[in-house]
Amino acid sequence: MTNQPYDGYDPYGQQPQTPQTPQTSQGWPGHGHQQGYQQGHQGQQGYQGYDDPYAAQQYTQQWQGQTWETQTQAPVSAQVTAAEETAYLPPQGYEPPAPTPASAAEYGPATVAGNARITDAQRARAEGRSPIIEPGMQPAALTALLGLLLAGAAAVGTYALLVPLVVLQAVTAAGWFRLNGMWPARQGIALGFAGALAADAALLASDRSPSAILGTLGVWVLLALVLQLRSHADPDERMYGLMATVAASALAIVAGGYLAAEADAVTVGAIAVAVAVLARALPLPTPASVVVALLAGAGGGAAAGSLTGLGTSGALLGAGAAACALIGHRVAGYDYPSRFVHFTAGVALPLSAAAPAVYVLGRALV
């Protein structure tokens, strides 16, 4: 350590030996209070030596520059917390982007089992597919079996035909209510089936007169209207229930047309429906499947007509019955129905829808 003063200043009160020019802040050898003194005076180039060292300390301790007011600043932890709380606040006028629709790759193949989030019909529409699932080969096989039973029973006699016909009418009433998902279904099914039994009894009592079907249908429409008016449900629900009950009763009653038709016409028409429904269930494009089903129905009718008294006119009856059966088949596949609907409405509606054509064309051709 040396006693030599620096910058002409003697800390012991001695006068500088040689006057020196004041230095800038870069020339000061690292004294913090003197550097602060230089910054506080903003460009003032040092100070001259003082006689009193305490006077120099007095000036150097008086900080004149800009300082940080630590008393007014929030703690660092509080600043971090405030920053975290406001970091996710959207700016004024910010609008979040609209959600984009889900792509088709997020959905799996369509099934009849349902989905906890969306319905199968909604999934199919999102994927750009048709929301219709038509009855498959198993319902078609059951339809064909029931059609063959009707054809064979018609060849045996009227009362033999009554057995498969009653089964057809019961499944028709149940299938229509289940297809529409109406509540309460049991009362509506029972009412529709009761109307079908009443129509069958009226046909047998009137010697198979078609007026029995029309009379029973009118009475049952009035009965369904009275029952719905006595209901305590909401007006909309009562209207839906009325329409479903009338439609189910009408279809079940109209199916009694097999009992009013000629036996040969019933045989030809039932066989044509059986063949057409089986052809419709083949894995073909829809337009091609419809054409194949119509041709198959006409061919089946012609083959059955050759075994009965209709002859070649059985092809026309078979084509008409097949066309009506395809309409019933299409209705049964409406908007992703459940498996139970496929095995009720999908089985019965093709045969029930074909009954009027069998009766009318049978009367005209026989």
Side-chain angles (χ1 to χ4, degrees):
M1 198 171 172
T2 179
N3 294 326
Q4 291 293 333
Y6 55 90
D7 291 344
Y9 174 71
D10 186 0
Y12 298 97
Q14 298 178 1
Q15 296 296 327
Q17 297 178 358
T18 304
Q20 298 180 359
T21 304
Q23 298 180 358
T24 60
S25 60
Q26 288 81 1
W28 289 88
H31 287 276
H33 65 280
Q34 294 174 353
Q35 182 179 2
Y37 179 81
Q38 294 290 336
Q39 295 175 354
H41 285 76
Q42 298 180 355
Q44 183 177 0
Q45 303 296 328
Y47 57 86
Q48 301 295 331
Y50 291 91
D51 295 337
D52 188 1
Y54 297 100
Q57 294 179 2
Q58 178 181 2
Y59 283 104
T60 57
Q61 292 176 355
Q62 293 179 357
W63 194 273
Q64 301 297 327
Q66 294 180 352
T67 60
W68 292 100
E69 297 294 337
T70 57
Q71 290 81 3
T72 60
Q73 297 296 325
V76 176
S77 61
Q79 296 177 4
V80 173
T81 305
E84 291 177 351
E85 292 177 352
T86 59
Y88 299 98
L89 292 179
Q92 296 295 330
Y94 173 78
E95 294 183 0
T100 57
S103 60
E106 297 180 3
Y107 298 98
T111 62
V112 296
N115 187 284
R117 296 180 295 109
I118 61 174
T119 64
D120 291 329
Q122 292 173 341
R123 174 188 296 177
R125 291 188 180 96
E127 295 176 355
R129 296 183 290 103
S130 173
I132 303 300
I133 286 184
E134 298 174 347
M137 183 58 70
Q138 292 180 350
L142 292 177
T143 302
L145 177 61
L146 188 56
L148 293 177
L149 290 177
L150 287 171
V156 173
T158 301
Y159 290 96
L161 176 61
L162 191 61
V163 176
L165 177 61
V166 169
V167 175
L168 173 63
Q169 290 170 329
V171 178
T172 299
W176 183 260
F177 264 90
R178 297 308 303 165
L179 180 63
N180 288 272
M182 293 302 302
W183 183 92
R186 289 177 295 180
Q187 291 85 341
I189 292 172
L191 184 60
F193 182 57
L197 294 180
D200 295 341
L203 283 169
L204 294 176
S206 62
D207 194 17
R208 300 190 302 173
S209 173
S211 59
I213 296 178
L214 298 177
T216 305
L217 184 59
V219 171
W220 242 251
V221 169
L222 181 60
L223 179 61
L225 179 60
V226 171
L227 291 178
Q228 290 299 325
L229 289 177
R230 293 173 56 87
S231 175
H232 298 286
D234 295 335
D236 292 340
E237 185 177 350
R238 283 188 292 176
M239 179 60 67
Y240 296 151
L242 174 63
M243 298 304 297
T245 302
V246 169
S249 301
L251 288 172
I253 292 172
V254 166
Y258 287 111
L259 194 61
E262 297 291 334
D264 292 342
V266 174
T267 300
V268 173
I271 291 177
V273 170
V275 175
V277 172
L278 287 175
R280 183 67 178 85
L282 295 176
L284 297 174
T286 300
S289 179
V290 171
V291 172
V292 170
L294 290 175
L295 294 176
S306 63
L307 301 177
T308 61
L310 288 177
T312 57
S313 59
L316 180 60
L317 191 151
C324 294
L326 292 181
I327 295 175
H329 181 273
R330 174 62 177 78
V331 172
Y334 175 73
D335 200 10
Y336 273 62
S338 66
R339 188 175 179 85
F340 181 79
V341 172
H342 276 163
F343 282 93
T344 53
V347 171
L349 287 184
L351 286 168
S352 298
V358 170
Y359 173 79
V360 173
L361 292 176
R363 291 285 186 178
L365 297 175
V366 174

